[in-house]
Amino acid sequence: MVVRVIEPRQMGRQASEAAKKFIAMQDPKHPIHFVEIIKRPGQTLGLYIREGNGVDRNDGVFISRIALETAVYNSGCLKVGDEILAVNLVDVTHMSLDDVVIIMSIPRRLVLATRHGPHQPVSHSRQTEHKAPPVVVIKRELNEDESDHATSNHVRYSVS
């Protein structure tokens, strides 16, 4: 899978013209980026989307989570809290979440118009999603009659 930020001029003349609509929506605090994703058929993107940003908006499509060690995660092009404005220059700001999922799953090449916004607090960001592996403690329990015979083959182990 390839994930990279592209400039509108890299999309061709006609697409570049269509991209101007989204570029006009940007401001210095919330820049618009175009992220190209090229995937194999049936390959998952490794990102999760939600309706609303979970803070102050109930509309729009936002990235809510990015799976660890995926191409999207490793690229750093998309972040939790980014708003997806368009998929292949089709405005998705007023579409249902189900429709957005469908149009993102079909094509091999996606160009997402995204607006970087205020991102989730650090506790929800992708840097802290990684959890340490669980600790497994193996206790050796001796039966009363085995305590006198340290070489016994009847030792029980319990995992806790």
Side-chain angles (χ1 to χ4, degrees):
M1 179 181 300
V2 175
V3 182
R4 64 186 180 139
V5 174
I6 60 172
E7 296 296 321
R9 67 183 181 323
Q10 292 175 283
M11 294 186 270
R13 199 177 87 204
Q14 191 174 18
S16 181
E17 288 298 316
K20 287 181 181 179
K21 169 187 173 186
F22 300 102
I23 294 169
M25 299 170 73
Q26 76 181 344
D27 61 56
K29 288 184 179 180
H30 305 102
I32 305 295
H33 295 279
F34 295 92
V35 178
E36 179 183 48
I37 302 172
I38 300 173
K39 61 186 179 96
R40 292 187 306 269
Q43 186 176 24
T44 61
L45 296 174
L47 62 88
Y48 299 79
I49 59 175
R50 66 179 286 161
E51 202 163 6
N53 65 2
V55 180
D56 60 352
R57 291 191 42 203
N58 294 323
D59 63 332
V61 178
F62 291 83
I63 297 174
S64 61
R65 196 165 52 124
I66 298 173
L68 291 172
E69 302 308 320
T70 60
V72 170
Y73 174 88
N74 292 332
S75 75
C77 295
L78 298 170
K79 296 183 178 23
V80 171
D82 285 355
E83 181 178 10
I84 299 173
L85 303 171
V87 176
N88 292 343
L89 299 175
V90 174
D91 187 336
V92 298
T93 57
H94 300 292
M95 285 188 180
S96 74
L97 201 56
D98 291 337
D99 289 342
V100 176
V101 168
I102 289 168
I103 66 169
M104 287 178 73
S105 65
I106 295 171
R108 182 178 173 267
R109 178 181 183 258
L110 296 172
V111 175
L112 304 181
T114 63
R115 177 176 16 218
H116 289 326
H119 299 290
Q120 299 293 328
V122 174
S123 63
H124 297 294
S125 74
R126 59 187 201 148
Q127 285 85 7
T128 59
E129 273 185 33
H130 184 70
K131 296 177 184 165
V135 177
V136 177
V137 178
I138 300 175
K139 294 180 183 176
R140 180 177 175 182
E141 296 178 7
L142 296 175
N143 292 332
E144 285 181 32
D145 59 335
E146 293 175 326
S147 61
D148 294 332
H149 302 85
T151 60
S152 171
N153 290 332
H154 302 288
V155 179
R156 288 188 337 211
Y157 290 92
S158 65
V159 178
S160 53

